[in-house]
Structures are given as structure tokens and as C-alpha cells.
Amino acid sequence: MSEVKRIVRKHEAKTMLGISHSTLHERINAGLIPPPFRLSGRAVGWYEYEIHYILAALAAEESDDELALVVNSLLKQRKDAWAALRR
């Protein structure tokens, strides 16, 4: 994992996506935005590139089903990155 990955916190993610707090959580629960990962006790965040992927899919007017596939792919990337570090 040689490249630097910027973390965005919840407020910045909401601003980037142009959505409210409740809409953010509705979309996470619907599988249309990846869930954040825990940074500390109460702090959570996303990789900035994940938010950009979601924005690109929204701009391309992808269906909710396609958006869910994007989210699943992003979550798989997180798991694969962790598995690669453990080797």
C-alpha cells in the first residue's frame, strides 16, 4: 500500500455528496454508499476515492442496483488491501 490514501470524515463526505445526515445513513443502510470505517472511539471515515467512485456512479446516472455493485466492489477492495498487508 505505497500510495497515500486520504481519509474524509463524515461532515466532509456529506458535503462532497451534497446530502444530509439522514440521507447519508439511509443510503448506507440501503447499500448505496459504503459504510464508514472506525478511526477511533467515535470517529469514522471513508477513503476519499470511495466517495469519488460514488459520485462518478451518480453522475453516470447508474441505477441503485449498479450503485450497490460499486459499493460491493469498494468493500472488497478494503478486504483485499488488508489481506495483502497480512501476507
Side-chain angles (χ1 to χ4, degrees):
M1 199 153 90
S2 60
E3 74 271 3
V4 175
K5 291 188 171 113
R6 184 170 176 273
I7 304 295
V8 295
R9 300 280 301 276
K10 188 179 287 188
H11 176 75
E12 186 176 359
K14 291 186 307 184
T15 300
M16 290 172 70
L17 292 164
I19 59 176
S20 69
H21 179 82
S22 60
T23 300
L24 175 70
H25 287 281
E26 286 172 7
R27 291 186 183 174
I28 290 169
N29 291 336
L32 304 177
I33 294 176
F37 50 87
R38 185 159 308 286
L39 299 170
S40 65
R42 290 178 40 191
V44 297
W46 292 262
Y47 289 119
E48 183 177 38
Y49 75 85
E50 293 176 337
I51 303 302
H52 287 292
Y53 268 79
I54 297 302
L55 285 170
L58 291 170
E61 298 182 1
E62 294 291 349
S63 68
D64 285 354
D65 290 339
E66 289 294 322
L67 198 52
L69 291 174
V70 170
V71 169
N72 287 335
S73 174
L74 292 170
L75 294 176
K76 184 177 181 326
Q77 287 178 34
R78 287 183 189 177
K79 289 180 189 261
D80 291 347
W82 175 239
L85 287 173
R86 293 187 311 182
R87 288 186 207 145

